[in-house]
Amino acid sequence: GAGVSQSPSNKVTEKGKDVELRCDPISGHTALYWYRQSLGQGLEFLIYFQGNSAPDKSGLPSDRFSAERTGGSVSTLTIQRTQQEDSAVYLCASSFGGAADTQYFGPGTRLTVL
Amino acid sequence: GNSVTQMEGPVTLSEEAFLTINCTYTATGYPSLFWYVQYPGEGLQLLLKATKADDKGSNKGFEATYRKETTSFHLEKGSVQVSDSAVYFCALRNNAGNNRKLIWGLGTSLAVNP
């Protein structure tokens, strides 16, 4: 079946602009995660959605970052007033949400802020 | 807090050599442990996992044993191939709360030469 898809695959933007990154999880997966992979920083958790529960936003680095998940499926990560330090690969993952589940990752969106 | 420490790379080996990539962790409770792999130009994919102490995860000739006494989850393979060249990430998930987020090591790059 189809895996996790993300769009765009690459995004180049100017400092100060807003960007939206999209994630389409695997059908039937109730849990969705956003991570960020920065050079020298490794992977860091950003936000987690599980079903209809309130999302865990504890990993968002600032209030310029927000995410929503519509209809329990597609998710959009929005970064407002982008900064150069936001440059990274943004990864989305989804899972069935159980205690021992496996997270399946999308190919990522490479964001470059000039 | 929760954290993962894995050996720094890059690791360069000849084909058929023995591979060990060390991973140790700090966690409250009883985490699940994972190895993910990222092949060149591809997304992250689960390599193997273990959900409780003394469990051994295995896949594609790779193995890792969950050692609670040493808080380790070292990745091993008896005979590496050129196709194993990739970046390997150790990760944990703390199962104490509702969030299933993964905590990651910084990754270890492996290059296998013919």
Side-chain angles (χ1 to χ4, degrees), chain A residues 11 13-20 78-82:
Chain A
K11 176 72 176 178
T13 190
E14 294 179 348
K15 178 181 172 181
K17 301 280 190 183
D18 298 352
V19 296
E20 285 190 351
T78 301
I79 309 173
Q80 295 179 309
R81 306 180 301 282
T82 53

Side-chain angles (χ1 to χ4, degrees), chain A residues 31-37 41-49 56 58-59 91-95 98-106, chain B residues 1-6 23 25-27 30-37 44-51 73 89-106:
Chain A
L32 187 147
Y33 309 77
W34 283 97
Y35 295 89
R36 180 168 70 173
Q37 187 174 21
Q41 296 289 325
L43 281 139
E44 58 177 326
F45 164 78
L46 297 177
I47 188 169
Y48 161 62
F49 297 88
D56 181 333
S58 61
L91 295 168
C92 176
S94 70
S95 73
D101 65 348
T102 295
Q103 294 180 24
Y104 295 86
F105 283 79
Chain B
N2 301 311
S3 66
V4 175
T5 302
Q6 61 181 105
C23 172
Y25 67 89
T26 302
Y30 302 94
S32 297
L33 301 173
F34 304 82
W35 278 100
Y36 276 79
V37 59
L44 278 166
Q45 54 186 277
L46 179 68
L47 181 60
L48 53 84
K49 67 179 181 182
T51 57
F73 193 54
F89 293 89
C90 185
L92 73 80
R93 184 180 64 217
N94 192 321
N95 298 317
N98 293 323
N99 192 326
R100 305 283 186 246
K101 68 183 181 186
L102 291 166
I103 309 295
W104 299 85
L106 291 180

Side-chain angles (χ1 to χ4, degrees), chain B residues 11-19 78-82 110-114:
Chain B
V11 174
T12 303
L13 295 173
S14 298
E15 206 164 23
E16 299 183 2
F18 184 86
L19 169 71
S79 177
V80 294
Q81 305 300 311
V82 172
L110 170 66
V112 180
N113 297 320

Side-chain angles (χ1 to χ4, degrees), chain A residues 19-77:
Chain A
V19 296
E20 285 190 351
L21 312 180
R22 177 188 169 104
C23 172
D24 282 88
I26 293 172
S27 178
H29 281 187
T30 60
L32 187 147
Y33 309 77
W34 283 97
Y35 295 89
R36 180 168 70 173
Q37 187 174 21
S38 306
L39 195 62
Q41 296 289 325
L43 281 139
E44 58 177 326
F45 164 78
L46 297 177
I47 188 169
Y48 161 62
F49 297 88
Q50 172 59 62
N52 295 321
S53 302
D56 181 333
K57 305 178 183 180
S58 61
L60 294 178
S62 77
D63 59 7
R64 296 186 294 104
F65 288 73
S66 63
E68 62 178 21
R69 189 178 185 192
T70 54
S73 181
V74 171
S75 177
T76 303
L77 177 69

